[in-house]
Amino acid sequence: MNVFEEGAVTDEVLARAGAQLAAESARFAARGWMPGTAGNLSVTVGRDPLRLAVTASGLDKGELASSDIVIVDADGAGVRGEGGSEQRPSAEAGLHARIAAVTGAGAVIHVHALAAVTAGHLWPAGVVLRDLEMLKGIGHSAHGETVTIPVVANGQDMTVLGDAFEALYVRPASGSNDVPALIVADHGIYAWGRDLRQARWHLELTEALLQIALARR
Ligand SMILES: [Zn+2]
């Protein structure tokens, strides 16, 4: 359960969020999914209005302190005076916020994992998966169901990316796009869940499924 959702964004809530974000970032950096300063993680710390604690921009994700978080609003803009650091939020915070708003996620993870970057390039209309045991881990059947991991084109405008995501998530054209992950072609992947642990499971499973899709090509 997401313990951050309700009530005031207290110093205690932020300290806990910061510690979890630093620990998860170190995990993904060690896996090579956050090369350099790439990638960012967020947890939802308020719903009305929407507030996310997101990792600060430009820092090595293997070396974050629990204080290296910034509070952002529904547009991904930094919010002053509500705790967190005065550092710059990631430019990608806007897409985190859109995903949290549309899906109700309690945590969003964005990394530059290799299979996702490659699969998004090869299958720009979406990665179609079927008859794989690990589909159960992202909320689908192991047999007889076609599941599409949605892909959007890369870009630097998070509003454009957010609109593209929402169109696929809310109005899937074919198959099921109702999966807790989004590939940004030639860039990376976003995955989400009710909390950071579930978001991590969804990320690991989706990346593994994409590795299989590439191996079977
Ligand atoms: Zn990125």
Side-chain angles (χ1 to χ4, degrees):
M1 132 166 208
N2 177 20
V3 295
F4 303 117
E5 251 182 51
E6 298 305 331
V9 185
T10 63
D11 289 347
E12 187 195 343
V13 166
L14 285 184
R16 202 162 6 141
Q20 288 187 3
L21 288 167
E24 292 295 321
S25 294
R27 179 194 296 264
F28 299 125
R31 293 189 72 153
W33 290 357
M34 302 182 96
T37 64
N40 27 73
L41 287 75
S42 66
V43 292
T44 304
V45 292
R47 276 284 164 201
D48 188 20
L50 185 67
R51 293 287 186 267
L52 273 61
V54 61
T55 48
S57 177
L59 302 178
D60 188 315
K61 297 307 184 299
E63 300 174 349
L64 292 184
S66 59
S67 56
D68 290 327
I69 56 171
V70 184
I71 304 300
V72 301
D73 64 15
D75 297 319
V79 176
R80 306 257 164 174
E82 294 186 18
S85 79
E86 305 273 293
Q87 299 174 78
R88 246 180 338 116
S90 160
E92 294 161 327
L95 189 49
H96 282 250
R98 181 74 79 95
I99 290 170
V102 169
T103 69
V108 179
I109 299 170
H110 167 57
V111 297
H112 293 182
L114 183 60
V117 176
T118 309
H121 181 82
L122 285 173
W123 297 293
V127 183
V128 177
L129 302 167
R130 194 180 166 82
D131 297 333
L132 286 162
E133 182 67 22
M134 275 189 285
L135 285 170
K136 285 154 66 175
I138 57 170
H140 291 276
S141 304
H143 309 280
E145 185 187 1
T146 299
V147 178
T148 304
I149 310 293
V151 177
V152 297
N154 193 26
Q156 305 306 314
D157 185 332
M158 293 306 126
T159 303
V160 172
L161 267 87
D163 289 347
F165 155 69
E166 200 166 335
L168 287 171
Y169 188 81
V170 178
R171 295 185 296 276
S174 63
S176 176
N177 287 326
D178 181 16
V179 295
L182 172 75
I183 295 170
V184 181
D186 303 310
H187 178 162
I189 184 169
Y190 289 75
W192 54 91
R194 62 180 174 267
D195 55 23
L196 271 172
R197 179 183 284 128
Q198 193 192 47
R200 181 213 309 153
W201 292 340
H202 290 158
L203 171 64
E204 290 175 344
L205 285 157
T206 306
E207 176 71 5
L209 286 161
L210 295 171
Q211 288 173 7
I212 294 167
L214 291 167
R216 285 177 165 183
R217 176 168 49 109

